[in-house]
Amino acid sequence: MTRGISGGSRRTRRTLGVALIGGALAASLVACSAGADASSSSSPDTEVVQAAYDALPQDIKDAGVIKTASAFDYGPWAYIDASTGDMAGFDYDVVNEIVARLGIQAQWANLGTFESVIPAAQSGQADAVVDGMGIIDDRLPAVSFVYDMVSDVAVLVKAGNPADIDPADLCGDHLTTAPSGLQNLVFTAVSEQCVADGKDPINVDLIGDTAAGTAAVLSGQVDGQGYGTAVGKFTTAANPDFEVTAPVPGYATPNGIVLQGSDRGEQIGTAFALALQSMMDDGTLQEIADKNDMGSTAPTQTMYVRTPDQLAELMAANPDLSDGL
């Protein structure tokens, strides 16, 4: 489940498929922006889920390789380990384990920025892309998803919270977030409710680069930055100048692996979901979540999501998730 697992000769046993909610390459990767490619392969003892392998597009089965990518800018979801230079994180580990259970190899590319994630999936530059991506209506059906984790939105503030940011009452606060991130959608929804309640809206500066947004908090340009709780914990563990608030109430959101919103994407998504369900069933997904200090209980049932109706089905099956977006 970590980068650099030896490939070698593989002893694999193809197993029967597992239950799934919802519907059912070339070895060289097209160059992505910023960063080197890296490959990972399965452990010699990894069991291959036969139904998952069978669901893959034929060209991926023929090549034995799937193109995978991330911006690697959002620990602990996906990041570059500063001490080793290696790719790391929950999303990275999950995809590597899924691919191992498909009996093929992942070939990774570093996209460099969050803004590149959805375009990379849409264009087919990568077959599967991850970066702590929320599953929301606005992204469907341009891309599709395999549900693998729950996330929330909190606020990164300076240590001591000098601006007294209260995640349950953000009206009138001066915050920043990326324009295309889940945090911006949550802040927009909360701000609209503030106005409806006769309060001041949230003043949001849209800063696309996560590090630049964090620097704006430290300098006092803004009072806080939209962050997931897990990301906030990751950031504050390395930098005592910051702390992270409790989550904004009511916005627990499904996260997932990003695929094309196409029949090919659905083939890959079906294969991924079958392999992922086996990880949920044997506890591997929770182990990966704990290893990466995600702070959340991993889901026990996955789903491939391509349409708003399928997202509604996912939400209905998981009442703790938010439908506020």
Side-chain angles (χ1 to χ4, degrees), residues 99-123:
V99 170
R101 294 183 186 216
L102 294 173
I104 59 175
Q105 293 185 335
Q107 187 171 47
W108 284 95
N110 185 349
L111 300 171
T113 66
F114 177 78
E115 307 300 328
S116 301
V117 170
I118 286 180
Q122 283 180 298
S123 67

Side-chain angles (χ1 to χ4, degrees), residues 71-217:
F72 290 105
D73 62 347
Y74 204 51
W77 292 91
Y79 64 100
I80 301 298
D81 188 313
S83 63
T84 65
D86 289 346
M87 297 170 176
F90 171 82
D91 277 337
Y92 177 73
D93 289 345
V94 167
V95 171
N96 280 342
E97 180 66 18
I98 287 172
V99 170
R101 294 183 186 216
L102 294 173
I104 59 175
Q105 293 185 335
Q107 187 171 47
W108 284 95
N110 185 349
L111 300 171
T113 66
F114 177 78
E115 307 300 328
S116 301
V117 170
I118 286 180
Q122 283 180 298
S123 67
Q125 187 178 33
D127 294 307
V129 189
V130 289
D131 205 47
M133 183 69 72
I135 308 173
I136 52 177
D137 277 338
D138 287 357
R139 292 173 176 155
L140 304 170
V143 291
S144 58
F145 295 86
V146 173
Y147 170 50
D148 67 355
M149 197 54 184
V150 179
S151 67
D152 53 37
V153 171
V155 184
L156 186 80
V157 298
K158 290 173 72 171
N161 194 7
D164 196 24
I165 299 297
D166 178 0
D169 183 11
L170 298 175
C171 303
D173 289 336
H174 188 188
L175 307 174
T176 183
T177 187
S180 63
L182 173 65
Q183 291 81 11
N184 187 33
L185 295 172
V186 171
F187 288 168
T188 298
V190 171
S191 188
E192 289 173 352
Q193 187 61 52
C194 291
V195 173
D197 293 341
K199 300 178 181 180
D200 291 336
I202 303 174
N203 179 13
V204 179
D205 290 353
L206 298 178
I207 302 176
D209 181 76
T210 301
T214 304
V217 175

